[in-house]
């Protein structure tokens, strides 16, 4: 078709002297080239956004002989570790193209590490009730992404179509480029509104000290105080993260990337407090009920 049009317009120019035909031909060719470029960029972005998979260190090989009384609880937490990886892999698929270049780390790998720390602490505690408690399993908590550049795919997939649509809008005023640009603007505004709505206010968490035993053994006092300080630091860091991420992510960003990971960190600290007291006195139970926090608008 691109070869037929010049011949047709050549004849028309000879008959009519139609400069308008040349302009029309150029407009059609330019529009076709732009449409092809936009389509190719969009396809390339989709290809770049392959999610990859999460890879975490194996835990079972690092465990000691497990007492029979702890076996069920250890097995339950090992199963949770597997479930956490499956959920993280599914979230990689569900969020392709979302967020900025640090989205995967902040919203998937970071929260996964916090959940794994909590599960590994529970395994240590379960074994420690009947045998020597293993230490240092938290070193197995961090996971990584198997796929070159996939951690940055969200940002690339989000930017390339937007640039193509913006270019189309500049060269084809009133055309499909405007519609695509308007849709991007609307979606961007919606995400920003959701992020702003979620990030406003401050985080409120239950007070832990009133729920501790009246008498904390002297041998446990330093460790308990250290973990209470960590709980305060965790809240401060989460509040700072609210400020730093205003406008990021969708409507569930605050829950998934801030409140959820904060709860997992608090569970780990509360478990350490229980364990520290339990070494020299009756171990308090149920402090995990104080782990969940909420956002005060």
């Amino acid at each position: 078709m691109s070869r037929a049009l010049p011949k047709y317009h050549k004849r028309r120019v000879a008959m009519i002297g139609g400069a308008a035909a040349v302009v029309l031909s150029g407009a059609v060719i330019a529009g076709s080239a732009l449409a092809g470029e936009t389509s190719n960029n969009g396809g390339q972005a989709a290809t770049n956004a392959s999610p990859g998979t999460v890879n975490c260190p194996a835990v079972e090989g690092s465990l000691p002989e497990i007492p029979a009384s702890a076996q069920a609880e250890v097995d339950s937490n090992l199963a949770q570790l597997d479930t956490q990886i499956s959920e993280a892999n599914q979230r990689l698929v569900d969020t392709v193209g979302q967020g900025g270049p640090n989205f995967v780390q902040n919203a998937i790998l970071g929260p996964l590490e916090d959940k794994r720390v909590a599960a590994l602490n529970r395994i240590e505690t379960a074994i420690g009730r009947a045998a020597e408690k293993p230490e240092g399993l938290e070193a197995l908590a961090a996971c990584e992404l198997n796929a070159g550049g996939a951690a940055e795919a969200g940002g690339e997939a989000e930017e390339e179509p937007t640039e193509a649509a913006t270019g189309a809008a500049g060269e084809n005023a009133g055309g499909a480029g405007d519609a695509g640009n308007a849709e991007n603007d609307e979606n961007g505004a919606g995400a920003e509104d959701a992020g702003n709505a979620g990030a406003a206010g401050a985080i409120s968490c239950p007070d832990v000290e009133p729920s501790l035993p009246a008498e904390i053994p002297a041998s446990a006092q330093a460790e308990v105080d250290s973990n209470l300080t960590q709980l305060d630091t965790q809240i401060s860091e989460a509040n700072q993260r609210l400020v730093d991420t205003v406008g990021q992510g969708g409507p569930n960003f605050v829950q998934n990337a801030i409140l959820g990971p904060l709860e997992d960190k608090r569970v780990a600290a509360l478990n350490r407090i229980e364990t520290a007291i339990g070494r020299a006195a009756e171990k308090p139970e149920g402090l995990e009920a104080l782990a969940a926090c909420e956002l005060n608008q």
Side-chain angles (χ1 to χ4, degrees), residues 3 19 53 65 73-74 87 97 113 116 120 140 168 220 225 251 255 263 266 285:
R3 289 195 297 273
T53 56
E65 184 174 348
E73 188 172 354
V74 169
E87 291 173 346
E113 181 175 354
R116 284 173 61 83
L120 292 166
L140 306 174
D225 289 344
Q255 179 59 48
E263 181 175 354
R266 285 173 60 83
E285 299 288 351

Side-chain angles (χ1 to χ4, degrees), residues 38 159-172 177-178 180-181 184-185:
T38 302
E159 290 167 8
E160 287 192 33
T162 303
E163 290 172 2
T166 302
E171 296 180 30
N172 286 331
D178 283 336
N181 206 35
N184 284 340
D185 288 345

Side-chain angles (χ1 to χ4, degrees), residues 13 19 52 66 91 99 114 123 138 141 167 176 185 187 198 201 206 222-223 249 255 282:
V13 169
I66 300 170
R91 182 148 169 71
D114 293 331
I123 289 174
E138 295 88 347
D185 288 345
N187 289 341
E223 188 172 354
Q255 179 59 48
E282 183 178 357

